[in-house]
Amino acid sequence: MAASAADIRSALSIPESSTPAAPQPKKSTAAARKPEGISRELYSLIGPSAPSLAAQLAKPRLKQKPKFGGAGAKVRWELRAFKNPARSDSLELRHWEKVTPDGPSEYPFSKYSVQPNTYTYSQDEYTRFLEDKEWTKEETDYLFSVVQDYDSRWYIIHDRYEYPNDPQRSLEDLRDRYYSVCRKLIRHRPWAGDDLAKAALVSSFQFDKEREVMRKKYITSLENRTPDQIAEEEALYVEVKRLEHNERKFKRDRESLLRILAGIDSGLPDIVEDDGVPLGITGDASNTKAKKKKGGQTTDLDSPATPSVASLPASKRPHSTKNAAYDSQHCITRTEVPSTSVATKAAHQPAYLRSFKLPTPKAAIAPKISQSLAELGVKHTRLVMPTRENVHRLEALMEATTSLVETKRVVDKVDYDIQVLKTRLGLREQSHSANGGEAKIEGGDSMDIDNSQVGDAENEEGEGGRGQSVVSVRSGRSRKHPRRSMSVSSVDTASTRAGTKRQKRG
Amino acid sequence: MVNYGGDEVSALVIDIGTSSLRAGYAGDDTPKAIIPTSYGFHPPQPDTDVVMSDNTAENPEQPAEKPKFSKIYIGQSGPSMWRAGMEIGNPLENGLIRDFNPIKPLIEHAINKVMLCNSAEHPILVTEPTWNTPANRERMAEIMFEDFNVPAFYIANTGVLNAFAAGKGSALVIDVGQSMASVTPVVDGFVLRKGLAYSPLPKLVYAQARHLITAPTQHRRGVELIPHQLIASKLPVDVGAMPKFTFREDRIAGTTESWRNWAEAREVDEWVQTVAGVLEQGWNDQQAAQRPARQYEFPTGYNAYYGSDRFVVGEQFFTHSPALIASNPNLPKSIPQLITEALRACDPELRQVIMGNVVLTGGGTLFSGLADRLSNELARTFPHAKIHAPGNPIERRYGGWLGGSILASLGTFHQLWISREEWQEHGKPIVGQRCK
């Protein structure tokens, strides 16, 4: 509503805006057009803000009657006699007609009476061009009259064709004769238009009798099939459809599988499927058939879209050598395709981001490696700039770290063994003197493990406390290879209680 | 108006069949006048030209013009009313008009008495069966122009009209009437005359039914077909018991043989329409025995159950038993035979087209189970056959009239009428030229 802005201003006691004159004239115009059915007093009270109310107050009216025939003028109909221009006589039938100011018009249906264009010939023309040893002029005349009578509906012409001593003309005979006569007439008569139109007209009268007869024979043979033959045909058709469907499905599956597994979008255009992988439900027959077809296609067409396997390396090799200079200039490096002979699915190497191929440490020693790398201030999980060189260097660093960690572990192990052996030696010397029972040694297997593990745990704790300088080798080892620790401390002495504990842990 | 191509010039359509004569306005969906084609008449008195008083009341100039009958009774109360000495005649034989004498009174009755209109004001379209003779159609034209003073006339083929009634230009029309069964291939609104096949098959079915009713079996006694007009009173009896009724002795003497025949035929027809049927899946003794028996009561009060043998009657439409073939050398062809014959004469290319447009029409096709049986039979040999069988009995019985009603109300048709002027100018040959 136009007034609302001013109302709000007054309500919020905002001073009038810079255009105080604007709402004023609007109000006056709104007041001027007071709707009907509402009193002036009421309107001055509620103002123009209740148009819906005003509409309701309008005078009630009955439902409007539909207006037939446009402007409401009465339509008059008249029973009139009319003449049909398509008739040659003066028959007058009567029908009801709408009275129009411009009087009765021509009968609207007469325009549908189209006289077909027919050819006639003179005696002279007949003797010159149209002689045919199988047809007399009389019979040709008769044929033309029948064709005109039945408007070139050949089935009916053939049905009604009754020439005395008729030598049993077939439908094709009749058509052939009629069209050939028409063609000859067009050819030999003077032609006003251009040759193209003439040729088109002649071709419209073209009729190949042999072909028609052959076609009819085919139709007849099609009709004369026995039910068995029809059933067999049906079965074959269904089979073919099934095979086609299977093949399509096989292709689709293969495509999607390749896309998933080998990344066909980015990689090689054609990859030979391993023969031992039949996909899905495809039957044997269809499989081999599809293969055969595929083989045939690949050998037949040498289209660039699907290059055959044999031609693939040949086409790739020169490309790489030629552009060596270009590559070096643009810092392009090419990975050597590890193709031994045939590019198989397994050997295929799609394009990848280098950062995805960063070397990862072995899971067993990963924490240790990351720890040691962290000491160096290197984060191996993410390279800021994973260039080729950087990646190589990271790889080298990783390898070095791994070997260092491994070596450290071995060293630790050996140290420990030495220690253990030394203590055992000491014990033995003691038992020699004390002459201890052998039974204790027997049950040792399960217990000493625990011992070692407890030691390990202690070690870990200790190492954790010691900080980052010492790589805790033993803990990782013990977690990963409990078997080894078992063998190491096979001759340790401990209590029987620890056996159950080990089982729980394992 | 122009949208559907209709332009009504208040033409009349007359379709004369063996059982009934249909007349009505073109553009209507049902004929206004349906009167039996059979008519009752009193043969002319041998002695005279004395015109009886009641004669003049109904047909004033009749005895003078037509010496064949002194009095004629037409319409719903024509043949079905018993009158002493009244003979029954039917102008049609094998679907063709054999006797033109009663044609004029029949048409007159339909147009003037039932429809109450003046034939001189309306163009008239008459139908004819496909096997009509040129002489017959010319005679019909003559009657129309000379006796009825029609302004325009046309005679159209029932096969074509039936196809039109079904909305098809090309069709295989299977028409089973009261006396004839015909199969007519229609292409582009023209009949293929060489493909026409027809036979008086319904008569055989009638004969079979009559035999079944009247011949005694071990379960049933033979039935004497006595029309109700000759029965004074009757008492209800048990199934299969002897009927208890009394004759109207006064009428026995005055009953003519032709009337008796007509009345008995009507009884048989009633029985056929009520009881007889045909098995949908072909003849099968077990199936026929499984179907429930139907009770039927004759006018005498005699009533009986008809079991499996009621299906034997309908079977005649499709197959004839070897015994029957052996005893009758020229049996009428069955419907499948007619279809095969019609198709054999057609171009192989056409067979597919018309078998996809099979039109089933005629009152005889309302025979219980016939449409289903036919579609089963056709499906066996022509897997793509499609049958158009109107469910509305009016459309089925008066398909020919309906097609004529459609044709005569088309704007484009009005140029085909044979006008009175043309008739006077060219005479009879114009009929053959115009109505192809």
Side-chain angles (χ1 to χ4, degrees), chain B residues 17-340:
Chain B
T18 309
S19 73
S20 64
L21 182 151
R22 283 78 72 173
Y25 286 105
D28 282 7
D29 58 358
T30 320
K32 284 259 188 291
I34 302 167
I35 58 168
T37 312
S38 295
Y39 59 96
F41 65 97
H42 278 117
Q45 307 291 330
D47 48 325
T48 66
D49 46 359
V50 181
V51 176
M52 282 179 281
S53 61
D54 59 335
N55 254 353
T56 38
E58 267 196 42
N59 254 328
E61 64 265 52
Q62 203 54 247
E65 266 182 38
K66 312 275 176 200
K68 200 171 176 240
F69 30 74
S70 63
K71 178 136 176 46
I72 188 164
Y73 307 96
I74 291 166
Q76 298 304 338
S77 52
S80 58
M81 292 258 284
W82 184 90
R83 294 176 180 90
M86 184 177 75
E87 304 269 2
I88 299 291
N90 191 319
L92 270 75
E93 190 171 29
N94 290 344
L96 296 186
I97 300 171
R98 173 186 44 93
D99 177 12
F100 274 92
N101 288 321
I103 291 296
K104 190 190 166 195
L106 278 168
I107 294 176
E108 224 165 39
H109 181 91
I111 291 178
N112 299 348
K113 298 254 170 61
V114 182
M115 292 179 66
L116 302 173
C117 60
N118 181 2
S119 59
E121 291 171 355
H122 305 275
I124 292 186
L125 182 137
V126 181
T127 67
E128 57 168 358
T130 313
W131 55 95
N132 202 10
T133 59
N136 245 347
R137 64 207 319 224
E138 281 162 13
R139 180 87 178 84
M140 181 56 87
E142 197 180 339
I143 290 176
M144 283 297 158
F145 281 116
E146 308 302 337
D147 292 344
F148 288 96
N149 288 315
V150 294
F153 166 80
Y154 193 81
I155 190 158
N157 188 295
T158 46
V160 174
L161 295 182
N162 273 305
F164 285 169
K168 294 168 194 303
S170 302
L172 186 74
V173 179
I174 301 174
D175 186 347
V176 184
Q178 199 192 39
S179 69
M180 299 299 277
S182 68
V183 176
T184 320
V186 176
V187 175
D188 287 344
F190 288 93
V191 165
L192 291 187
R193 288 188 190 145
K194 284 170 186 160
L196 168 73
Y198 63 102
S199 73
L201 186 60
K203 284 182 186 163
L204 176 77
V205 176
Y206 166 81
Q208 176 88 19
R210 190 184 176 109
H211 176 78
L212 188 103
I213 298 166
T214 53
T217 63
Q218 61 256 46
H219 312 295
R220 271 194 315 265
R221 61 186 83 247
V223 177
E224 226 187 322
L225 290 166
I226 300 164
H228 64 85
Q229 287 95 333
L230 299 182
I231 292 166
S233 67
K234 62 181 172 183
L235 291 168
V237 292
D238 284 341
V239 173
M242 274 297 279
K244 292 176 194 153
F245 66 99
T246 49
F247 268 112
R248 294 184 74 152
E249 299 291 347
D250 56 326
R251 285 189 169 182
I252 301 280
T255 305
T256 61
E257 202 191 332
S258 63
W259 186 84
R260 185 71 189 258
N261 282 339
W262 175 85
E264 285 180 3
R266 225 167 81 126
E267 290 308 321
V268 174
D269 262 353
E270 295 258 317
W271 181 88
V272 166
Q273 283 165 28
T274 318
V275 174
V278 63
L279 289 175
E280 287 83 1
Q281 300 295 339
W283 184 254
N284 182 334
D285 282 327
Q286 267 188 324
Q287 276 214 334
Q290 276 173 5
R291 296 297 182 92
R294 270 201 193 152
Q295 194 184 14
Y296 186 79
E297 185 180 320
F298 290 92
T300 55
Y302 173 79
N303 60 91
Y305 279 100
Y306 291 90
S308 67
D309 41 1
R310 69 193 174 100
F311 294 106
V312 176
V313 177
E315 201 61 23
Q316 298 302 321
F317 279 118
F318 294 94
T319 49
H320 303 319
S321 67
L324 195 66
I325 294 167
S327 59
N328 296 39
N330 34 8
L331 274 176
K333 291 179 194 114
S334 65
I335 292 177
Q337 283 171 327
L338 290 174
I339 293 172
T340 319

Side-chain angles (χ1 to χ4, degrees), chain A residues 61-79:
Chain A
R61 267 194 294 178
L62 291 172
K63 192 179 158 196
Q64 223 172 14
K65 279 184 189 168
K67 278 184 184 171
F68 293 111
K74 271 184 189 161
V75 178
R76 279 189 55 228
W77 289 76
E78 211 174 63
L79 186 62

Side-chain angles (χ1 to χ4, degrees), chain B residues 391-436:
Chain B
N392 180 352
I394 298 279
E395 278 180 42
R396 190 85 75 86
R397 293 174 70 189
Y398 310 129
W401 184 90
L402 193 58
S405 161
I406 292 168
L407 183 65
S409 62
L410 287 180
T412 44
F413 172 74
H414 300 319
Q415 69 186 69
L416 286 175
W417 292 106
I418 301 166
S419 67
R420 167 166 285 280
E421 185 186 335
E422 283 171 318
W423 170 257
Q424 281 160 353
E425 191 178 328
H426 303 280
K428 285 177 178 177
I430 185 84
V431 181
Q433 282 168 31
R434 190 62 61 79
C435 313
K436 289 166 187 166

Side-chain angles (χ1 to χ4, degrees), chain A residues 333-336 352 354-355 357-359 378 380 383 385-401:
Chain A
T333 51
R334 295 181 182 280
T335 45
E336 272 301 306
Y352 59 90
R354 216 179 267 117
S355 54
K357 287 277 172 121
L358 285 180
V378 175
H380 75 287
L383 280 183
M385 192 66 75
T387 60
R388 195 159 169 255
E389 283 73 27
N390 283 350
V391 169
H392 273 307
R393 289 172 74 173
L394 184 68
E395 254 171 65
L397 177 63
M398 212 78 127
E399 253 167 57
T401 323

Side-chain angles (χ1 to χ4, degrees), chain A residues 77 82 84 86-96 107-113 115 148-150 153 155-156 158-162 171-172 175 212 215-216 219-220 223-224 230, chain B residues 1-2 4-10 121 123 151-152 187-195 347-352 383 410-422 434 436:
Chain A
W77 289 76
F82 68 95
N84 191 340
R87 294 186 66 92
S88 56
D89 63 344
S90 62
L91 174 70
E92 285 202 347
L93 297 166
R94 300 200 300 162
H95 65 176
W96 286 95
Y107 190 57
F109 293 102
S110 60
K111 64 170 180 277
Y112 296 110
S113 172
Q115 291 305 316
Q148 192 177 4
D149 274 357
Y150 292 105
R153 290 184 176 89
Y155 297 120
I156 295 140
H158 180 235
D159 184 62
R160 306 287 162 92
Y161 191 85
E162 267 167 6
L171 178 53
E172 283 72 30
R175 291 179 79 175
E212 279 294 298
R215 196 171 64 87
K216 291 271 166 74
I219 293 173
T220 319
E223 257 176 28
N224 291 342
I230 291 172
Chain B
M1 286 297 275
V2 185
Y4 62 91
D7 181 24
E8 302 195 2
V9 296
S10 59
E121 291 171 355
V187 175
D188 287 344
F190 288 93
V191 165
L192 291 187
R193 288 188 190 145
K194 284 170 186 160
D347 197 87
E349 216 175 351
L350 274 178
R351 286 175 202 157
Q352 290 293 329
L410 287 180
T412 44
F413 172 74
H414 300 319
Q415 69 186 69
L416 286 175
W417 292 106
I418 301 166
S419 67
R420 167 166 285 280
E421 185 186 335
E422 283 171 318
R434 190 62 61 79
K436 289 166 187 166

